[in-house]
Amino acid sequence: MTSATAADYGWIRSSSSLFAYGLEVGYTLTLVRGVSPSELFRIVGAEPRGVCEGLDALIEEQREYLDGYEEWPEGFLAGAFTVRGEGGDWTLAMEFGGDLGTRPRLMEALSAGTRAVSHSSNGGKPMDFFHWYEDGELRTTFEGPADRTGSTPDELNAVMTEVGLDPSGDEDTDVDTKAAVLALTERLTGVRVTEVLLAEAKYQVGEVPEEPAG
């Protein structure tokens, strides 16, 4: 397990960071071990839409995609690439305004026989979520650190404290909670998400359809 803390992810608040776009409009970042980008898209039923060279290109494609709708669509684009982490290769999937990482049916399928971790934000709305799945089971999820649910809601408490999150809910105003959640994700995946990693990756792009009713 790495020793990442919130301090390692202070870059997300830089006004020049491409991640700032995700914080503004909403994002979901999902990591799945041992599942390739193409396999991830197959599992979630996404239609392949080619490749984007870098996060700025993915953001531009997302904007063009939205321009085709009068209202925000229920489907969304996701960009995915392979990165090394704990136990081998992981797929990192990035979306803006989508909800792949918060759809239980999809996350259960993606994590079958492996591990999947996601975190997200609703942009300007004060809603931020973290999910840890293991072998199809939601182990720990929370919006605020004290509001944990899942089959093992307290298993990460010690690690949460180390990265800067207080499981009791006493917020430290000197700690960036979002940065701490990225550090918690690194502790569970071994993947260090950096600005350069996101900016320079070659993203396979897929269009994830609207979630079926029922």
Side-chain angles (χ1 to χ4, degrees):
M1 184 177 289
T2 74
S3 58
T5 68
D8 294 303
Y9 286 91
W11 61 267
I12 66 172
R13 298 298 180 180
S14 169
S15 59
S16 62
S17 169
L18 289 172
F19 199 80
Y21 176 75
L23 293 174
E24 177 185 354
V25 305
Y27 80 92
T28 301
L29 189 156
T30 303
L31 284 156
V32 185
R33 183 173 57 204
V35 174
S36 69
S38 58
E39 180 69 2
L40 182 147
F41 286 152
R42 185 194 66 78
I43 291 171
V44 304
E47 179 182 349
R49 290 178 55 118
V51 174
C52 282
E53 298 278 355
L55 187 59
D56 53 350
L58 179 63
I59 290 172
E60 183 58 31
E61 182 153 344
Q62 164 73 5
R63 288 170 170 158
E64 292 176 0
Y65 174 75
L66 293 177
D67 285 343
Y69 295 87
E70 293 184 1
E71 299 181 355
W72 196 283
E74 293 297 325
F76 56 88
L77 296 186
F81 63 93
T82 300
V83 61
R84 291 291 294 178
E86 182 179 326
D89 285 342
W90 294 67
T91 285
L92 187 156
M94 189 76 183
E95 347 143 8
F96 301 104
D99 60 358
L100 183 154
T102 61
R103 293 185 183 181
R105 180 181 63 84
L106 297 186
M107 290 297 287
E108 288 166 6
L110 287 172
S111 65
T114 189
R115 173 176 291 184
V117 182
S118 74
H119 52 85
S120 59
S121 174
N122 262 23
K125 299 178 182 179
M127 296 175 65
D128 299 90
F129 297 98
F130 170 88
H131 305 277
W132 164 39
Y133 282 81
E134 200 83 21
D135 196 16
E137 179 181 60
L138 178 58
R139 298 286 296 275
T140 305
T141 182
F142 59 84
E143 180 177 2
D147 302 319
R148 301 177 307 281
T149 58
S151 64
T152 58
D154 298 329
E155 186 168 344
L156 300 180
N157 286 9
V159 181
M160 289 174 67
T161 300
E162 291 175 8
V163 302
L165 298 168
D166 190 338
S168 71
D170 291 334
E171 184 176 349
D172 184 344
T173 57
D174 292 330
V175 174
D176 184 334
T177 302
K178 177 58 66 178
V181 165
L182 269 86
L184 178 61
T185 301
E186 180 180 334
R187 295 288 191 107
L188 285 168
T189 64
V191 176
R192 170 64 60 93
V193 177
T194 67
E195 185 170 12
V196 172
L197 176 71
L198 295 179
E200 297 184 355
K202 180 183 291 187
Y203 294 83
Q204 293 185 40
V205 182
E207 182 178 356
V208 181
E210 177 181 357
E211 188 166 24

